[in-house]
Amino acid sequence: MVAVSDGRRSGRPTATVGTPVGHPLLSLALTGMMDAVGAHSGAVYLRLGDEPVLEMAVMAGLPRAFAAPWERVGLSAPIPVAEAVRERRLVWVGGEVAMARRYPRIAVALPYPFALAALPVATVSKVYGAVFVTWPGSHPPELSDRERRELESACARLGVRLERAAAENRAVRAETDPLEAGPLGGVSGTLGTVEAARMVARLPYGLCSLDLRGRVGFANAAVAELLGVPVSGLLGTQLWASVPWLNDPMYEERYRAALLSQDATSFVALRPPSEWLSFRLYPSTTGISVRVSRARAVSEARATGPGKGDAPTQLVSMSQALSLAGALTETVSVQDVVRLVADEIAPAVGSRALALLDARAGRVHVLGHDGYPDPRVVEQFDGMPLSTPTPDAHAVAHGVPAFFDSRQRLEHLYPARRTTRDGFAAWAYLPLIASGRPVGACVLAYAEPRTFSTHERAVLTSMAGLIAQALDRALLYDTKHRLAHGLQAALLPHSLPALPGIEATARYLPATRGMEIGGDFYDLVPSRPLPVAVIGDVQGHNVTAAGLMGQIRTAVRAYTTVGQEPAEVMRSTNRLLIDLGADLFASCLYLRLDPERGRAVMARAGHPPPLLRRADGRVRVLDLAGGPLLGIDGEATYPTTEVDLSPGCVLALYTDGLVESPGVDIEDAITELGRRLAEAGDLPLEDLADGLVGPFAAAEERIDDVALLLLRARGDD
């Protein structure tokens, strides 16, 4: 186990047993790696024991605040270092376009041109962590072979050193970030000579120098006059902190953009009451030179009032909020929200376990949880009345956050918790408020006692607001999803009847777009004297299509029951659809089955042709005569055709979702379906159905519904 301990972590236990490594192993390895490939920033992450979490141990070339949202990340997080560990390979991101396409959450928080490589730090037997390095946006879009070799060999060497340290019981601790030294006290030390300093002092525009943390190391008299702050008030401070009217995230963002992209950048700011100043930033790997002058002309500019608080806090909070907001927009269901909080938010704030709760009918309900050694500890609260004296119920019912830094504090206020211990030592109970109303609560549990600072409470509360919006949306989605599936299930047959001489099975897959409900239907009617099979497809994937589908299915059953012939059933259903005035069309395939004679009579209304597999394995496309779609022409007729259905034959009736896909000719798709039917037609009917719809069932996205009805003629009845 590689231990990490730097005295700054408070929410997670770290092993410190053993003699620490006697030199800055990680810093030296990282800076050597950066020098070898010309990278301008980077970081080393270590894995925390066997936990699925990576924690940043050292960062070089940029302030750690730039990576604040990713100082502690779960291995399942969609970011390059986590992906490098999961797949044990180098991950290359060749610029801001590639970053936006593959890792949109990072691109939202850091929308600047830069290239990045992430690699695992591992040996054959174990992964110890990961490394990332970055280059300016001017780096070629591809990583060179030399750069790849240098990075991979350096990470391999670091992995061996970490393995050796673990074997010798030497702890590898987090190290001080190797940034440049603090601001220098004298001008000549910064510029090299006194004469150079005099030259700069005579320039008609302002000049100052910022280190990688944004602190002023040099300022001439002109910049002090332009900014309205004496040189002594600028040195050693961050520019946006010492100049009140520059205390705005927009100006600080320009500094971040220059450092990360290593491209010169500029902005214009208003010095109250009416003087506009132009700022030009020239970055390097050691800091930024800033030129300040009066702007010649500024039109339609808007002043931004000074903010409150120190800039580093604003920088971290803004990055965290942007990253989290981007991640939460990708969640759809309640379980998506639970997984995101578990995989990314909880590790980032040091939490070891979490639970998401909501309230319905005066009771607390557990929506999901993660990290509890015994899930029953959480699940026992499911269904608990909101009046129960527990912190969970109080947070849900009253919408007031609560922070408990120790078990003693929690049990003092809520004695009932003495009998329901969960094995943790500190807790944050965060109410989830969306649109001014409570939607639930998020419970974060910590392994060790923890003091929640004012800043940390503010950050956690802000995160809870973002989680609440995602959870509120997810609860609505899940409700609609359940209603849609309930409606679809009610409109389709729950089971197929047993017919003499016929074996039947069916499959239905809804489209994954919209409400996952559609107009595809099938039915098997055990009417007398002969049974009937029907399959159809109403245009659309919504409640209207599903409702019309139910009406058509009912009508077909009714016309069949009164003894109408197949052609007349189709004509009657067509007229009904036109009379309903739904402005939707439907395709339909209707078969009257006669297994004793080994025949079937088919009527078709614009539906894809069925496939017939004979007992000898040959497959025929029954592309026979038919009429137009139902609902178009009230005078349309639907001729019938008699087809073979001798023992051993299999009829495959399907909707177009099984054969239509972008860029594929439908005739080729039907031919491919026939080939698969020929190869697998001797399988049991259930297995055959699973095989035919298998590729669609496994697809993440289906643009259309899929319905399949298989009929096999038996000769044993």
Side-chain angles (χ1 to χ4, degrees):
M1 175 178 178
V2 176
V4 179
S5 177
D6 64 353
R8 294 177 295 174
R9 314 287 190 252
S10 58
R12 186 177 296 275
T14 55
T16 57
V17 178
T19 304
V21 172
H23 56 84
L25 169 64
L26 304 179
S27 300
L28 292 175
L30 177 61
T31 53
M33 207 179 306
M34 291 165 56
D35 289 341
V37 297
H40 77 285
S41 73
V44 178
Y45 287 78
L46 294 179
R47 186 168 180 181
L48 299 177
D50 294 325
E51 294 181 44
V53 174
L54 294 171
E55 186 171 59
M56 186 183 292
V58 66
M59 186 169 185
L62 289 174
R64 185 175 290 233
F66 277 50
W70 309 285
E71 279 204 55
R72 187 185 288 111
V73 298
L75 288 185
S76 60
I79 65 172
V81 288
E83 184 175 323
V85 170
R86 289 196 305 270
E87 300 182 10
R88 297 192 67 154
R89 66 174 180 86
L90 185 150
V91 174
W92 168 249
V93 186
E96 61 181 330
V97 174
M99 184 68 77
R101 183 178 66 252
R102 296 171 55 190
Y103 306 101
R105 302 178 192 177
I106 296 178
V108 167
L110 300 174
Y112 316 121
F114 67 97
L116 179 146
L119 301 90
V121 176
T123 60
V124 174
S125 60
K126 186 172 182 179
V127 177
Y128 290 90
V131 166
F132 78 77
V133 293
T134 69
W135 293 263
S138 56
H139 188 282
E142 297 296 332
L143 193 66
S144 71
D145 291 340
R146 185 194 68 80
E147 290 170 331
R148 179 180 293 270
R149 287 194 303 270
E150 291 282 355
L151 291 173
E152 289 178 340
S153 61
C155 286
R157 289 193 300 271
L158 180 56
V160 171
R161 291 168 184 163
L162 293 176
E163 184 178 61
R164 187 181 304 133
E168 297 172 358
N169 198 28
R170 291 184 295 141
V172 178
R173 307 177 189 275
E175 300 169 4
T176 302
D177 294 343
L179 291 167
E180 291 294 310
L184 301 177
V187 170
S188 61
T190 303
L191 300 178
T193 66
V194 174
E195 185 55 34
R198 291 172 178 167
M199 178 194 71
V200 171
R202 290 192 294 265
L203 292 174
Y205 45 78
L207 285 178
C208 64
S209 174
L210 310 181
D211 67 9
L212 294 177
R213 290 190 176 93
R215 299 174 303 187
V216 178
F218 166 78
N220 66 357
V223 79
E225 180 182 356
L226 288 169
L227 298 179
V229 178
V231 171
S232 60
L234 294 173
L235 292 177
T237 70
Q238 292 174 316
L239 196 59
W240 46 87
S242 56
V243 183
W245 45 273
L246 285 178
N247 190 6
D248 186 290
M250 179 182 69
Y251 304 136
E252 186 179 348
E253 189 272 341
R254 293 291 81 203
Y255 150 79
R256 297 171 64 212
L259 269 188
L260 197 55
S261 67
Q262 291 292 292
D263 288 334
T265 187
S266 60
F267 62 89
V268 176
L270 174 65
R271 176 185 172 181
S274 59
E275 184 177 27
W276 289 93
L277 299 180
S278 172
F279 293 76
R280 183 73 175 170
L281 282 63
Y282 300 91
S284 75
T285 57
T286 59
I288 293 180
S289 297
V290 182
R291 170 178 166 169
V292 184
S293 59
R294 288 181 173 84
R296 294 182 180 178
V298 178
S299 61
E300 299 180 3
R302 178 177 58 88
T304 302
K308 296 182 179 180
D310 60 280
T313 297
Q314 290 180 347
L315 176 64
V316 172
S317 298
M318 181 173 63
S319 298
Q320 288 172 331
L322 285 171
S323 178
L324 177 57
L328 287 170
T329 59
E330 300 175 14
T331 59
V332 176
S333 67
V334 170
Q335 289 309 308
D336 289 342
V337 178
V338 173
R339 281 192 294 271
L340 175 68
V341 177
D343 293 345
E344 300 189 43
I345 300 173
V349 299
S351 170
R352 293 288 298 275
L354 72 102
L356 283 186
L357 316 172
D358 81 335
R360 297 190 301 274
R363 295 182 178 272
V364 173
H365 293 274
V366 179
L367 299 174
H369 57 83
D370 183 79
Y372 288 90
D374 184 358
R376 292 173 298 180
V377 171
V378 183
E379 292 164 359
Q380 66 180 324
F381 295 109
D382 192 53
M384 174 182 62
L386 285 174
S387 58
T388 306
T390 66
D392 317 68
H394 191 271
V396 174
H398 299 285
V400 178
F403 301 90
F404 301 95
D405 53 15
S406 67
R407 180 181 303 281
Q408 293 76 13
R409 173 73 172 166
L410 176 69
E411 294 177 353
H412 174 71
L413 294 177
Y414 297 96
R417 282 301 304 268
R418 293 170 185 161
T419 61
T420 57
R421 295 190 171 185
D422 56 15
F424 293 100
W427 298 264
Y429 291 86
L430 308 171
L432 303 179
I433 310 294
S435 302
R437 57 184 178 81
V439 297
C442 176
V443 182
L444 299 176
Y446 298 82
E448 298 294 334
R450 182 186 190 92
T451 299
F452 294 93
S453 66
T454 302
H455 170 69
E456 187 171 8
R457 294 183 185 211
V459 170
L460 290 175
T461 303
S462 299
M463 285 185 174
L466 295 173
I467 296 170
Q469 296 293 331
L471 182 61
D472 189 38
R473 185 177 64 250
L475 287 168
L476 180 61
Y477 170 84
D478 283 354
T479 299
K480 290 183 177 179
H481 194 264
R482 287 193 298 270
L483 288 173
H485 278 254
L487 176 60
Q488 190 82 63
L491 294 175
L492 291 173
H494 296 289
S495 61
L496 297 178
L499 300 178
I502 296 291
E503 181 185 1
T505 191
R507 297 291 184 270
Y508 174 78
L509 301 172
T512 56
R513 295 182 180 179
M515 291 185 65
E516 297 190 18
I517 185 172
D520 287 19
F521 68 96
Y522 59 86
D523 206 353
L524 198 59
V525 185
S527 61
R528 294 184 179 183
L530 296 174
V532 164
V534 62
I535 191 168
D537 182 2
V538 178
Q539 173 189 12
H541 311 106
N542 50 36
V543 173
T544 302
L548 190 60
M549 173 265 281
Q551 291 177 296
I552 293 175
R553 178 172 168 249
T554 301
V556 169
R557 269 186 166 260
Y559 297 139
T560 298
T561 302
V562 300
Q564 288 190 0
E565 294 297 318
E568 186 59 31
V569 170
M570 297 296 277
R571 286 195 295 271
S572 298
T573 307
N574 178 49
R575 287 193 294 268
L576 172 67
L577 188 55
I578 292 174
D579 291 342
L580 289 174
D583 294 328
L584 292 178
F585 309 134
S587 69
C588 190
L589 184 65
Y590 183 97
L591 285 88
R592 176 171 287 175
L593 308 172
D594 190 351
E596 288 188 4
R597 294 179 52 240
R599 310 296 290 174
V601 177
M602 179 181 74
R604 187 160 70 101
H607 199 81
L611 299 177
L612 174 66
R613 184 187 188 274
R614 301 183 185 277
D616 59 7
R618 291 180 300 166
V619 173
R620 176 187 171 195
V621 179
L622 301 179
D623 194 5
L624 306 175
L629 292 169
L630 303 177
I632 294 179
D633 180 5
E635 302 301 322
T637 60
Y638 298 91
T640 60
T641 305
E642 189 173 88
V643 298
D644 178 41
L645 192 59
S646 55
C649 287
V650 177
L651 266 174
L653 318 180
Y654 55 91
T655 56
D656 54 10
L658 192 63
V659 291
E660 285 188 350
S661 57
V664 178
D665 184 82
I666 190 169
E667 292 186 0
D668 293 339
I670 293 175
T671 301
E672 172 62 18
L673 180 63
R675 183 191 64 78
R676 292 163 55 204
L677 177 62
E679 292 178 352
D682 292 327
L683 292 174
L685 209 60
E686 297 293 335
D687 295 339
L688 176 59
D690 290 338
L692 293 180
V693 302
F696 296 89
E700 293 185 2
E701 181 171 317
R702 291 184 296 273
I703 62 175
D704 199 0
D705 311 322
V706 173
L708 173 69
L709 178 61
L710 295 180
L711 306 171
R712 174 178 281 158
R714 300 195 304 254
D716 54 351
D717 291 284

